[in-house]
Amino acid sequence: FTSKATKGTEVLYSTTSSKSKQMAQIMQRNMIARLGTYDRGAKARPDLIVLNSTNMPAILIETAFLTNDEDAQKLKSSEFNKKVGQVVYDSIIEIFNTLSFR
């Protein structure tokens, strides 16, 4: 992105698995609740090879935007990055406890 106005968190998901959307929604909800970033939503991205060239559920987390000054400051903070790591971990645990992968 080149726009300084673009900011926030979004989770992109594959269209090859029905579980991907559910995973993305859990991750997005938790990221917004715990990080306080702008909510850009969970979005299907059938055009992304990294998500759609797999046979398993897949998501891609866009935590914040370096082109936005406010987001860039957050990304420079070790405290913010620790929060990101913790919310990703907690969300993965929630995903495995909530969704069936059998």
Side-chain angles (χ1 to χ4, degrees):
F1 282 85
T2 57
S3 170
K4 288 186 167 277
T6 303
K7 66 178 183 175
T9 300
E10 63 188 18
V11 179
L12 312 175
Y13 61 91
S14 75
T15 55
T16 59
S17 168
S18 61
K19 300 261 190 263
S20 295
K21 183 176 183 179
Q22 294 170 292
M23 290 169 48
Q25 290 170 331
I26 290 169
M27 185 67 69
Q28 182 72 16
R29 175 178 36 83
N30 291 339
M31 297 283 279
I32 297 307
R34 305 240 319 257
L35 299 178
T37 51
Y38 177 75
D39 187 356
R40 294 179 52 88
K43 302 173 182 176
R45 287 298 301 269
D47 57 317
L48 294 179
I49 292 173
V50 69
L51 291 177
N52 293 295
S53 63
T54 178
N55 294 327
M56 67 181 122
I59 62 173
L60 178 68
I61 304 165
E62 298 286 357
T63 307
F65 290 81
L66 289 171
T67 52
N68 179 277
D69 293 337
E70 184 181 333
D71 276 6
Q73 286 303 311
K74 289 177 183 177
L75 290 167
K76 290 179 185 177
S77 162
S78 61
E79 182 180 324
F80 179 79
N81 285 302
K82 285 178 186 176
K83 281 185 186 180
V84 171
Q86 188 64 52
V87 74
V88 169
Y89 171 82
D90 292 341
S91 297
I92 290 169
I93 298 300
E94 181 180 344
I95 287 165
F96 278 102
N97 286 334
T98 305
L99 305 177
S100 173
F101 291 93
R102 293 181 198 136

